[in-house]
Amino acid sequence: MLDKLVAFALSKRLLILILTAILIGTGWMAFQQLPIDAFPDVSSTQVKLIMKAPGMTPEEVEARIVAPIETEMLGIPKQQILRSISKYALADITIDFAEGTDIYWARQQVAERLANVQSSLPIGSSGGLAPITTPLGEMFMFTVEGGGLSLEQRRSLLDWVIRPQLRTLPGVADVNTLGGMVRTFEVVPNNAQLAARGVQLNDLQRALELNNRNDGAGRLRAGEEVLVVRVEGAIKTLDDVRAIVITNRDGVPVRVGDVAEVQVGSLTRYGAVTKDGRGEAVEGLVLGLKGANARQVVAAVQERLIEIDKGLPAGVHTKVFYNRGGLVDRAVGTVAEALAEAIVLVVILLVLFLGNLRAAVLVAVVLPLSALFTFILMRQFDMSANLMSLGGLAIAIGMLVDAAVVVVENIVTHLAHDKTAEKLHLIYRAVGEVITPVASGVLIIIIVFFPLLTLQGLEGKLFIPVALTIVFALAGSLLLSLTLVPVLASWLLKQGAHSDPWLVRKAMAIYEPALVWSLAHARTVVIAAVLGLVATAGVYTLIGKTFMPVMDEGDVILQLEKLPSISLEDSVKLDLRIQQALMRVPEVKGVVARTGSDELGLDPMGLNQTDTFLVLKPRDQWRKPDKPWLIDQLRTVMQDFPGVTISFTQPIEMRVSEMLTGVRGDLAVKIFGTDLAQLNQLAGQVEGVLKAIPGAEDVITVKNDGVQFLQIKVDRLAAGRFGLNTDDIQNDLRAQIEGKQLGVVLEGVRRTPLVLRGGEAVRNSPEQFAAMRITLPDGRSIPLSEIAHLQRVDGPVKVDRENARRYVVVQANVRGRDLVGFVDEAKRAVASKVSLPAAYSIVWGGQFENQQRAAKRLAIVVPIALMMIFLLLYATFNSLRLALLVLTNVPFALIGGVFALWLSGEYMSVPASVGFIALLGIAVLNGVVLVSYFNQLIETGMDISQVVVEGAKRRLRPVLMTAMIAAFGLLPLVFASGPGSEIQKPLAIVVIGGLVTSTLLTLVLLPILYRRFGFAKVAVEA
């Protein structure tokens, strides 16, 4: 069949050129349309529910909101994990679905279940589905600066001018607004005046709710015309609020202005943003839609912000401090640069090995055409051009020319030695000679990458694009090698004498005596190879194991955790002091910190938690261009702030960790149980054990106790005696402290909340709060203490649940050692030192969990791939003996890979595993090329001793070319330094190291083994 393809190509040469031109045009168009991002979308199908319940404590939120919703959600099909966080006034519920579940179907299921349970949720709770974004959706962050505006004015600009315009852009899911003050019409009740006039707080509340609406009364006929009747009753100004009548006392109206102060205020704040140690700021955070093209979204946002800035008040502008586009450009640039350098190295090697510029160009033309072929298929499969998919091309660059190298090298040899035959026939014969080993070899390399297509979870999201691009590119290169290459060879290559180039002559001068000596001392060579394998097994045990090298995103986030009982104001003051200290580090250009919860509730932190985003100078301006060194400098600064727990992370790394485990960190130790106090105690013990293990860094348990609660126990008998019920008392107290939103005031397009809230004096003094007087239905008033007992108690910061079970987390990062070794030691230590009560359990998660899952999956599918390769080899040679002979190359290829990994100090990670898989394919390909030629020589009747010498010498050039081009194609990845280079480096090191031993043993050991084991089978066949 393949013979016919070559014959068709050579007989229809013009058609092949036209099809190539179509390939170039289509491929370029596909490349232009490819979405570009830094990473593949690693998020699972995830639906998030945000529920707000002003004034509720974490345990109340858990019992009254989270538990009913969880009970309703647990039966949804395809659901994998249900996680929830119950915090003060906020519930964050995350539902993970099975891979491949349609996001819109999942959201519909959740929305339907939420509607079912909505009626049983407390009155006053609100919320629903979060925007369709992913944990990697935070693409663009900016602050509103200048103009001397107050926090309230800047927040209003962001809410009502900037945000609506950005939300119209394609690919933008939402714009989160953080910091500043949300303007309100605030009604502050005067408790003394209320008592004096005998007005209850709920009377005031009802009056405000019932006097803020415009309505239509219908149509009124006036002669031949009709008048539309409109009744105006909506509040427009503060004076309108003051004029509302609450009730009549002895014929005298009691107005809102008589019993309350009406003013412009702000909503209760659950978080704040601070900047550069100078004060508070207002931040906008653009969330990208799931599947959106990051580069296009960022470019559109930048362009729109420039337009918006022109219409802002004089001196006011937006200032960007995080732009995903920068990371995208750097990450893609890293791979593109390595790709370009690899192509140059490959072309140089082709010229040196072939000694013929035309032949080198002929092989090199396969590289860009294979890439264009890949882009077409990537577009069809809805893949994006990112660090991993383009990395697949960079990895494959050396393998892409394998087929073309063997084909062109054989054509050149035939044209040099046969000057009389017709040229097209000669080319057809030359290609036909190598068509089987070439096709088998490429097919084998494609098969070895199939195990990557079965990876799950995060590792699958990262490495399936790598495998697919390699498979696409190799398929394209094989097709081109059997069609376009012979066609171009018929025009570019000439018949006639052709001497071997200098490099091949030198290689032959070294190889020939080495081969003769090896064949004469076969026992010594075999023993040395076996000893090498034994040494490799020993060295492998010294190599640490981890999931994935940490990618340097170029940005740093410093996470702070203070005492749980700290107020927002004091938390902000401490943040500003820390920022002033951080700004003294020369490499830090700016600091933007976010404390507490965001506006949408997507990141429900407590008032004691702060994410500090460090804006760094370009790396060439650092005193020492080394990120770990800089982090150590920042740690030194933070030693001046005892009692503040710190950890370091990066924007994407942080969100990916949260997505996978619900927490941040390399390792997450989850302790499941029922009693929060017991869980906190166990977490403290586990934290102490982890801190004592070498390599542990940033070991923290998110503080979950120590919050002070003022518990008010209503005396039902006393309340009933005064004509009060529990609900009325709770309503009054919530209005006094948290405030109650009673409606909105329309000011043009702006919707300003109308809020009833107690004065500063009551909110800032427990004593004044306790002495506050409650107005009775009969007009009298009594102090709160007469109907309730007030008591201070400790309570939780939050309640975490997973699949309806409570848990606490100890999180840790690992530095200076491998993750798996650290976890193994930690497991032993925890098992021996921490005693778990009945019904309590520990689960080890985080990056470690991913590593274990990937290792288990590869342990199953790699042997299956080897079996498939064996079957393909058997089909190629029709010989069990020869198939096994070629497969012996595989373990010997591992020798160099393992030693290279060990000497470089890299760990055995998923990228390194991918390197071994690639190495396996190249090693088998070289074995196929060599053994196929041995068989051809045997068929001519040549003696076996002469066959292994002549065959090995004749195939020295293609074997060396294949190995060296693959190795040099990956060399730029070893020395690359941009974002993402950390992921590609272990892979490149393994392949390059393995190719050294694999090539050496292919050229020396395989002839020995063929002479000893391959001969008997071939002789029988002959």
Side-chain angles (χ1 to χ4, degrees), residues 732-749:
D732 286 1
L733 296 182
R734 186 180 300 127
Q736 290 284 358
I737 304 173
E738 175 73 20
K740 292 199 75 174
Q741 187 171 331
L742 305 178
V744 293
V745 178
L746 297 176
E747 299 180 286
V749 295

Side-chain angles (χ1 to χ4, degrees), residues 788-807:
H789 302 290
L790 281 70
Q791 180 187 3
R792 284 196 183 198
V793 295
D794 281 341
V797 178
K798 61 173 182 172
V799 181
D800 289 315
R801 290 159 68 96
E802 187 171 293
N803 293 334
R805 291 180 67 200
R806 284 179 170 183
Y807 73 96

Side-chain angles (χ1 to χ4, degrees), residues 613-680:
F613 191 100
L614 303 180
V615 183
L616 304 176
K617 291 179 181 175
R619 198 159 291 202
D620 55 11
Q621 295 178 26
W622 293 12
R623 290 168 291 170
K624 185 178 178 182
D626 178 37
K627 196 171 179 183
W629 170 84
L630 176 60
I631 287 174
D632 287 337
Q633 299 295 304
L634 297 170
R635 283 186 195 280
T636 305
V637 170
M638 290 307 298
Q639 287 173 2
D640 296 337
F641 299 92
V644 178
T645 306
I646 66 165
S647 63
F648 287 90
T649 184
Q650 305 175 100
I652 294 178
E653 181 188 357
M654 175 176 74
R655 296 302 176 206
V656 169
S657 296
E658 285 180 344
M659 174 191 74
L660 295 172
T661 60
V663 296
R664 306 160 179 185
D666 295 339
L667 175 64
V669 185
K670 293 183 178 179
I671 308 164
F672 288 88
T674 52
D675 182 64
L676 287 175
Q678 180 75 64
L679 286 170
N680 291 334

Side-chain angles (χ1 to χ4, degrees), residues 648-940:
F648 287 90
T649 184
Q650 305 175 100
I652 294 178
E653 181 188 357
M654 175 176 74
R655 296 302 176 206
V656 169
S657 296
E658 285 180 344
M659 174 191 74
L660 295 172
T661 60
V663 296
R664 306 160 179 185
D666 295 339
L667 175 64
V669 185
K670 293 183 178 179
I671 308 164
F672 288 88
T674 52
D675 182 64
L676 287 175
Q678 180 75 64
L679 286 170
N680 291 334
Q681 183 187 343
L682 291 170
Q685 293 176 27
V686 171
E687 182 182 348
V689 172
L690 291 184
K691 281 181 175 174
I693 297 172
E697 187 177 69
D698 302 335
V699 181
I700 58 171
T701 304
V702 178
K703 293 184 179 69
N704 201 27
D705 53 8
V707 173
Q708 292 283 299
F709 286 81
L710 183 61
Q711 189 167 287
I712 301 168
K713 276 198 167 183
V714 177
D715 184 334
R716 296 178 189 276
L717 191 61
R721 199 165 55 241
F722 288 114
L724 296 172
N725 59 56
T726 305
D727 202 47
D728 288 338
I729 295 168
Q730 289 174 339
N731 183 63
D732 286 1
L733 296 182
R734 186 180 300 127
Q736 290 284 358
I737 304 173
E738 175 73 20
K740 292 199 75 174
Q741 187 171 331
L742 305 178
V744 293
V745 178
L746 297 176
E747 299 180 286
V749 295
R750 303 185 185 198
R751 298 168 62 84
T752 304
L754 174 64
V755 174
L756 174 64
R757 187 160 65 153
E760 291 280 342
V762 173
R763 297 205 307 270
N764 294 336
S765 169
E767 293 76 21
Q768 285 209 29
F769 176 73
M772 184 177 64
R773 299 188 73 82
I774 304 288
T775 305
L776 302 177
D778 61 9
R780 291 181 299 140
S781 67
I782 56 169
L784 175 62
S785 54
E786 279 199 33
I787 53 169
H789 302 290
L790 281 70
Q791 180 187 3
R792 284 196 183 198
V793 295
D794 281 341
V797 178
K798 61 173 182 172
V799 181
D800 289 315
R801 290 159 68 96
E802 187 171 293
N803 293 334
R805 291 180 67 200
R806 284 179 170 183
Y807 73 96
V808 294
V809 179
V810 182
Q811 63 192 51
N813 291 324
V814 179
R815 183 172 173 185
R817 67 177 293 184
D818 69 297
L819 181 61
V820 175
F822 176 87
V823 173
D824 289 342
E825 187 177 342
K827 280 183 173 179
R828 290 193 297 270
V830 169
S832 63
K833 295 177 183 177
V834 179
S835 177
L836 292 177
Y840 285 72
S841 60
I842 288 181
V843 174
W844 299 77
Q847 300 281 33
F848 163 76
E849 195 176 11
N850 302 327
Q851 191 277 334
Q852 295 289 288
R853 184 177 59 239
K856 282 179 185 174
R857 177 52 62 110
L858 289 175
I860 296 169
V861 295
V862 168
I864 293 172
L866 283 172
M867 183 59 67
M868 289 171 67
I869 290 169
F870 172 75
L871 292 173
L872 189 62
L873 289 171
Y874 180 75
T876 302
F877 297 120
N878 197 26
S879 163
L880 189 67
R881 185 183 292 257
L882 291 181
L884 289 170
L885 196 63
V886 172
L887 273 183
T888 57
N889 222 5
V890 171
F892 293 111
L894 302 180
I895 295 175
V898 170
F899 272 91
L901 207 58
W902 178 56
L903 291 171
S904 66
E906 294 283 346
Y907 295 132
M908 184 65 189
S909 57
V910 176
S913 303
V914 174
F916 280 112
I917 287 171
L919 184 59
L920 187 153
I922 299 168
V924 171
L925 172 65
N926 280 338
V928 168
V929 169
L930 202 58
V931 170
S932 295
Y933 194 65
F934 287 165
N935 288 350
Q936 286 179 27
L937 293 178
I938 285 287
E939 286 170 5
T940 64

